[in-house]
């Protein structure tokens, strides 16, 4: 394994009294992440990037709840931005402790869009929107390029997108690009 991202905490940071099935106490969460890092270090190159959970768009969560559950909606948040921030801070401390690069989505998204991060980066106050995924992808590419230059990836110079035949990397491909494959003739096999 050349690179591992650890992107956990959004569900773990659920409030115990309102979402006990997903909640993981923060001290247990920290131990779990430290154990995960030890396992990765034992079985791979040890190239790890820590990614904090994104912020929680609390008003979006309430709208989502009303939309999904209608009259059954409780109007009570099952997670808060403040609690997600505690888990994000714990991950940043772990990254520093283990000298690992990290992406602080919780902080970065709120810094980028201080009053409007939810509608911009989140689809339902919790999960990333297309723009949220783009934000993460840009941060991830920058972090890889800065900390693991042998794994650096570059977007297509014409579109700015990754994962196309125009994007590049110094990594050897595991398979040929789709446009370099010559398909076998199907003549006589398809009527």
């Amino acid at each position: 394994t050349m690179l591992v991202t650890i992107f956990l905490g959004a569900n773990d940071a659920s409030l115990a009294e309102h979402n006990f099935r997903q909640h993981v106490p923060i001290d247990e969460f920290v131990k779990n992440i430290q154990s995960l890092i030890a396992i990765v270090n034992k079985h791979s190159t040890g190239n790890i990037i820590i990614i904090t959970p994104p912020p929680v768009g609390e008003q979006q969560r309430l709208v989502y709840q009303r939309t999904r559950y209608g009259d059954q909606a409780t109007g009570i948040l099952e997670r808060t931005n403040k609690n997600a921030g505690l888990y994000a801070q714990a991950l940043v401390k772990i990254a520093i402790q283990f000298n690992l690069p990290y992406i602080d989505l919780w902080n970065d998204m709120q810094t980028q869009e201080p009053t409007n991060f939810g509608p911009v980066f989140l689809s339902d106050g919790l999960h990333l929107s297309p723009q949220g995924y783009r934000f993460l992808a840009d941060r991830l590419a920058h972090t890889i390029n800065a900390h693991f230059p042998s794994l650096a990836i570059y977007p297509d110079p014409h579109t700015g997108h990754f994962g196309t035949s125009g994007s590049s990397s110094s990594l050897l491909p595991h398979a040929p690009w789709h446009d370099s494959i010559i398909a076998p003739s199907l003549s006589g096999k398809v009527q």
Side-chain angles (χ1 to χ4, degrees):
T1 304
M2 292 185 219
L3 177 68
V4 173
T5 60
I6 298 176
F7 184 16
L8 298 169
N11 289 328
D12 308 85
S14 295
L15 301 175
E17 62 273 21
H18 301 300
N19 191 357
F20 66 91
R21 289 178 298 162
Q22 292 185 324
H23 172 76
V24 176
I26 198 160
D27 56 335
E28 184 179 340
F29 174 76
V30 166
K31 289 177 187 171
N32 291 344
I33 298 297
Q34 291 169 333
S35 295
L36 187 55
I37 291 168
I39 291 167
V40 171
N41 282 331
K42 181 178 179 182
H43 297 287
S44 76
T45 62
N47 293 339
I48 301 171
I49 298 173
I50 302 287
I51 306 171
T52 73
V56 173
E58 294 177 358
Q59 291 308 309
Q60 279 181 289
R61 290 305 296 159
L62 293 172
V63 169
Y64 169 78
Q65 190 185 98
R66 287 191 300 273
T67 301
R68 178 157 185 198
Y69 300 108
D71 293 341
Q72 302 298 317
T74 65
I76 299 170
L77 289 168
E78 83 288 4
R79 59 193 84 229
T80 64
N81 193 39
K82 179 181 177 183
N83 210 48
L86 296 175
Y87 284 68
Q89 289 171 1
L91 283 168
V92 169
K93 286 180 185 176
I94 292 169
I96 292 168
Q97 172 191 354
F98 285 89
N99 196 30
L100 298 172
Y102 62 91
I103 300 167
D104 188 352
L105 278 186
W106 186 84
N107 184 55
D108 293 349
M109 286 181 167
Q110 292 179 89
T111 299
Q112 181 84 17
E113 291 285 341
T115 60
N116 203 32
F117 67 86
V120 171
F121 296 122
L122 307 170
S123 63
D124 61 2
L126 174 64
H127 300 98
L128 299 179
S129 67
Q131 192 168 343
Y133 280 111
R134 167 71 64 193
F135 186 86
L136 172 57
D138 290 343
R139 296 267 180 312
L140 185 57
H142 173 76
T143 303
I144 290 169
N145 294 354
H147 295 278
F148 307 107
S150 66
L151 304 176
I153 53 176
Y154 305 98
D156 181 312
H158 303 290
T159 66
H161 296 292
F162 294 93
T164 66
S165 57
S167 58
S168 62
S169 151
S170 59
L171 296 172
L172 295 174
H174 292 285
W177 283 102
H178 69 282
D179 56 359
S180 65
I181 298 173
I182 300 172
S185 172
L186 297 177
S187 62
K189 296 188 181 202
V190 178
Q191 299 292 333

